């Protein structure tokens, strides 16, 4: 059974906006609908928050961050609590040019947890967006966005997508923006014949199949993945 990570945002009341707490978070569950620490006979335990994720702004603030992210750059912190009392990890951009962005995930003391490379479709080494995840001393795990078959079907149906997009927007279901008009998004990573990671578009969930994978690297990866999707958590103007 795999562990599962998701990103969600808390609803903040108007009178709480001045509190300055972090409202975007990463949830963890063991894949069975229960969280860590579940004991037999006690019933299901809901997923628990393992990190609060927040963009780290450069000089120039939000406008500068939003301008830089257009090239693929990202920078954010993962905190142990919403009040930023303890840092869990940090994501920094080493380079972002020509559609290829390289990120480092660092621990609380600056130690390297892992490296993530995103190569945009048609700009990197293939027709699909490629994600490469590496832990120190471990093999590269390579995943491609969507399956070739579904991309072919999607392109063949492209003339109908505009109409589908209109209906999905009017449908009003949270998280369904774009609906079927979105391109295939599922990603399966391969490393030495194994499947250590899998992103499932249904629910935007990242499954950690390998017990050797550092959950902090997984948390950083799901935050990165979600930052490159419509309605990204880090693209807000405020």
């Amino acid at each position: 059974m795999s562990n599962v990570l998701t990103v969600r945002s808390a609803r903040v009341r108007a009178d709480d906006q001045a509190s300055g707490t972090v409202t975007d978070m990463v949830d963890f569950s063991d894949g069975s609908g229960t969280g860590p620490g579940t004991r037999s006979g006690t019933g299901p335990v809901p997923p628990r928050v393992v990190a609060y994720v927040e963009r780290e702004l450069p000089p120039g603030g939000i406008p500068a961050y939003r301008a830089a992210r257009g090239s693929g750059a990202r920078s954010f912190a993962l905190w142990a609590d919403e009040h930023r009392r303890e840092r869990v990890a940090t994501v920094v951009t080493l380079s972002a040019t020509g559609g290829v962005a390289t990120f480092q995930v660092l621990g609380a003391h600056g130690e390297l947890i892992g490296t993530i490379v995103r190569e945009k479709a048609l700009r990197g080494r293939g027709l699909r967006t490629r994600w490469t995840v590496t832990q120190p001393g471990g093999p590269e795990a390579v995943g491609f966005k969507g399956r070739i078959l579904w991309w072919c079907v999607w392109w063949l149906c492209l003339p109908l997508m505009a109409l589908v997009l209109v209906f999905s927007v009017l449908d009003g279901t949270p998280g369904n923006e774009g609906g079927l008009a979105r391109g295939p998004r599922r990603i399966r990573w391969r490393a030495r014949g194994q499947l250590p990671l899998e992103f499932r578009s249904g629910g935007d969930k990242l499954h950690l199949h390998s017990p050797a994978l550092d959950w902090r690297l997984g948390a950083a990866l799901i935050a990165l993945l979600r930052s490159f999707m419509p309605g990204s958590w880090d693209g807000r103007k405020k």
Side-chain angles (χ1 to χ4, degrees), residues 126-140:
L127 299 176
R128 297 175 290 168
T129 297
R130 171 185 172 124
W131 288 86
T132 303
V133 180
T134 311
Q135 284 193 147
E140 283 189 346

Side-chain angles (χ1 to χ4, degrees), residues 87-118:
R87 186 180 291 260
V88 172
T90 305
V91 175
V92 298
T93 301
L94 291 183
S95 62
T97 182
V100 180
T102 301
F103 310 96
Q104 277 191 340
V105 182
L106 307 175
H109 304 291
E111 71 279 13
L112 180 64
I113 296 175
T115 303
I116 301 171
V117 180
R118 177 184 184 265

